[in-house]
Amino acid sequence: NEIHGVAKGAILTADFDGKPLDSYYFNGGAQHIEVPFKPKLNFENSTTLSLWFKPTHSADKEIFLVSHGSWQNRWKLSVTPTKNIRWTINTTSRIIDLDSDFILKSDSVYHIVASYDGETMMLFVNGKLNNFKLQNGIIRTSTLPLLIGQMF
């Protein structure tokens, strides 16, 4: 799709199967991958994000896993200070958060899928529906870059 990210301080590391240089480590600070804005990123009716991650420590602030303009402009998937997954969508109707109903365990591997179909926000953890919430409206657009591992 001619959409490529550029690592900015993110460190290549072994993945959870031990394959070297097959995953990225983010410290929750300035380390991130930046995907420059392209109009293709401005889908408005629905979206689904899928990622694997392994939290290594707790933080006293929200840690962004993936963000396109953050909650103020578009959407984001994050880990809260209370160690929950948070999926946030900013639509023409309102901004709404959907939190997981469990506490993340440090050094455990999680497969997270966050979805919005124009009517419902859904959060799947390790292949099972964890939480959902009704939401409607068109997803707001943005000319900001998409970021992995950092808030804009």
Side-chain angles (χ1 to χ4, degrees):
N1 291 320
E2 300 176 10
I3 299 173
H4 304 283
V6 176
K8 297 191 174 188
I11 300 168
L12 273 170
T13 188
D15 68 11
F16 53 82
D17 285 329
K19 186 174 177 186
L21 306 177
D22 206 39
S23 188
Y24 277 98
Y25 170 80
F26 303 94
N27 66 2
Q31 295 174 337
H32 65 280
I33 295 174
E34 183 174 319
V35 179
F37 170 75
K38 297 255 183 168
K40 291 179 188 180
L41 293 173
N42 269 332
F43 38 82
E44 299 176 89
N45 297 314
S46 62
T47 188
T48 299
L49 307 173
S50 175
L51 62 90
W52 292 90
F53 86 108
K54 179 180 169 183
T56 57
H57 63 286
S58 62
D60 58 353
K61 63 179 183 172
E62 193 168 11
I63 301 294
F64 284 61
L65 301 173
V66 184
S67 171
H68 190 199
S70 188
W71 63 270
Q72 299 96 327
N73 297 287
R74 195 152 157 70
W75 56 260
K76 59 120 173 124
L77 186 64
S78 62
V79 176
T80 68
T82 56
K83 300 180 188 175
N84 299 93
I85 299 293
R86 177 168 288 162
W87 171 222
T88 305
I89 293 277
N90 184 337
T91 71
T92 54
S93 298
R94 61 186 174 157
I95 301 170
I96 194 163
D97 294 325
L98 176 63
D99 289 355
S100 63
D101 66 359
F102 71 98
I103 305 297
L104 292 167
K105 295 179 184 171
S106 188
D107 291 323
S108 293
V109 176
Y110 296 94
H111 179 229
I112 305 296
V113 175
S115 180
Y116 175 64
D117 65 5
E119 296 178 4
T120 308
M121 295 173 67
M122 293 178 280
L123 190 58
F124 295 84
V125 179
N126 297 332
K128 295 182 181 177
L129 180 63
N130 177 265
N131 206 352
F132 71 96
K133 191 178 276 188
L134 297 179
Q135 163 71 315
N136 59 28
I138 302 295
I139 302 169
R140 293 192 185 277
T141 60
S142 176
T143 57
L144 297 170
L146 184 142
L147 297 178
I148 301 170
Q150 185 183 35
M151 175 183 174
F152 183 77

